[in-house]
Amino acid sequence: MIAQRDIFFDTLFEYAKKDKDVYLIAADCGAKSLDRWRDELPNQFVYTGISEQHTINFAAGLASEGKKVYVYFMACWVARCFEQIRYSCAMAKNNITIVGTSVGLGYHPAGPAHEPTEDLAYMRSLCGVEIHSPSNNNMTKSLVDLTYQESKLRYVRLERTQPKGFEELYSSTHNSFIEDGIFNIKESLNNSKENVMILSSGYMLEKADKLYKKMLDNGYNVALTDVWKLPINYKNFESVSKNYDVLITIEEQSLNGGFGSTVCEVVCDMDLNKKVIRLGLPNKYIFDNGSRDYILENNGFNLESMYNSVTDRINK
């Protein structure tokens, strides 16, 4: 399957061929989709090398002149240029699209230096930034359309490996749907136990889906919900969660300030009478060696551990 990164930049390339104001700035050149830009659109492609802080400032300068600017590097390096994103982009209102690849444990062989398990926490703290975590290539293509047509400061978090079983999801997406940011992929309200909503995004949808099926088999009313956009739209959240009393968040992030924290904030701000159960990585840097799934399963994300943790909390 084609990587989300290559889908994104191949789709953007078609816009750039017709619009000379589209610029791609890359601090990482290791991708075939970037070779096309270098060879065919050299005046709209800039390789800045390992200089993320300079890259953001350069992008902000182009954006201030009305250019449609995209910045690409590994997601773990977004932390290196947080100050420049804050001052040169967010505060100065220079809209660029930051594309980070291999979120969470996507670069598992390289250890915690290459695994951004806190990027949601620090990026969502910025004023005016919009964060997207697409689950598959269909949504990735639609995100290119959205970012090209509607200028904002955005952080697009691309997966190195996509969740299995969701390849055809969102085959007919459109901008207004992408902007909604939340969707119940599956739901069943035919059982007798508590009404439970499982919320996740990206790679972790595969883990969430396994928990969904197990809870369904054990008599729970349950929904599987994709939340791909932060900040969460309160009105949309209230609409999709209205039938559910228990919310379970599943994230490949440390729990401090991450996705589950975002959901807790929404529930609190809206005075919703719901229990929130957060499943995430421990608040530590993980030095385990092994595959992505191996590390996840050894840090609380094997199916039995997830199910027991959740049902123990529900039954309290």
Side-chain angles (χ1 to χ4, degrees), residues 5 19 30 35 62 66 95 97 116 149 175 178 185 193 203 250 258 294 307:
R5 172 194 61 193
D19 185 348
D35 293 340
L62 287 173
N95 295 330
T97 299
Q149 294 166 13
N175 283 5
I178 294 295
I185 300 171
K193 290 186 179 180
Y203 185 78
I250 294 181
Y294 173 85
Y307 180 77

Side-chain angles (χ1 to χ4, degrees), residues 69-97:
V69 188
Y70 294 76
V71 173
Y72 165 67
F73 34 66
M74 290 166 57
C76 55
W77 306 138
V78 174
R80 279 183 172 172
C81 49
F82 180 84
E83 181 180 357
Q84 284 69 34
I85 298 169
R86 181 176 188 264
Y87 287 99
S88 299
C89 299
M91 196 174 294
K93 298 189 183 302
N94 287 317
N95 295 330
I96 68 173
T97 299

Side-chain angles (χ1 to χ4, degrees), residues 16-30:
K17 286 195 300 184
K18 302 173 184 178
D19 185 348
K20 300 303 181 184
D21 284 338
V22 175
Y23 281 78
L24 174 57
I25 307 173
D28 181 352
C29 268

Side-chain angles (χ1 to χ4, degrees), residues 74-140:
M74 290 166 57
C76 55
W77 306 138
V78 174
R80 279 183 172 172
C81 49
F82 180 84
E83 181 180 357
Q84 284 69 34
I85 298 169
R86 181 176 188 264
Y87 287 99
S88 299
C89 299
M91 196 174 294
K93 298 189 183 302
N94 287 317
N95 295 330
I96 68 173
T97 299
I98 301 166
V99 181
T101 190
S102 297
V103 296
L105 301 174
Y107 270 119
H108 52 84
H114 289 68
E115 296 166 354
T117 55
E118 331 96 311
D119 64 325
L120 282 182
Y122 55 74
M123 286 302 287
R124 78 183 187 90
S125 71
L126 292 171
C127 298
V129 68
E130 193 172 277
I131 302 171
H132 288 269
S133 303
S135 57
N136 64 13
N137 289 340
N138 293 327
M139 183 174 283
T140 301

Side-chain angles (χ1 to χ4, degrees), residues 137-205:
N137 289 340
N138 293 327
M139 183 174 283
T140 301
K141 288 180 181 179
S142 294
L143 268 175
V144 177
D145 299 337
L146 177 67
T147 58
Y148 175 79
Q149 294 166 13
E150 299 180 22
S151 176
K152 285 185 181 179
L153 175 59
R154 291 187 176 93
Y155 173 40
V156 179
R157 307 170 68 250
L158 300 183
E159 294 285 355
R160 192 180 189 191
T161 306
Q162 298 178 69
K164 297 175 183 176
F166 297 93
E167 294 84 0
E168 301 305 316
L169 191 64
Y170 311 126
S171 59
S172 58
T173 55
H174 47 82
N175 283 5
S176 60
F177 176 81
I178 294 295
E179 280 283 76
D180 288 345
I182 184 170
F183 177 69
N184 286 342
I185 300 171
K186 303 176 181 179
E187 57 184 330
S188 175
L189 289 167
N190 301 315
N191 296 312
S192 58
K193 290 186 179 180
E194 288 84 356
N195 293 354
V196 177
M197 172 180 281
I198 304 171
L199 305 97
S200 193
S201 66
Y203 185 78
M204 296 304 284
L205 280 176

Side-chain angles (χ1 to χ4, degrees), residues 9-10 43 52 70 80 86 89 95 111 116 119 137 139 177 223-224 235 240 247 256 258 264-266 279 287 292 315:
F9 291 123
D10 283 344
N43 294 329
E52 290 82 3
Y70 294 76
R80 279 183 172 172
R86 181 176 188 264
C89 299
N95 295 330
D119 64 325
N137 289 340
M139 183 174 283
F177 176 81
L224 176 62
K235 182 178 179 181
V240 299
L247 309 179
N256 286 347
C264 287
E265 291 164 12
V266 176
L279 300 182
F287 289 86
R292 189 175 189 176
N315 294 327

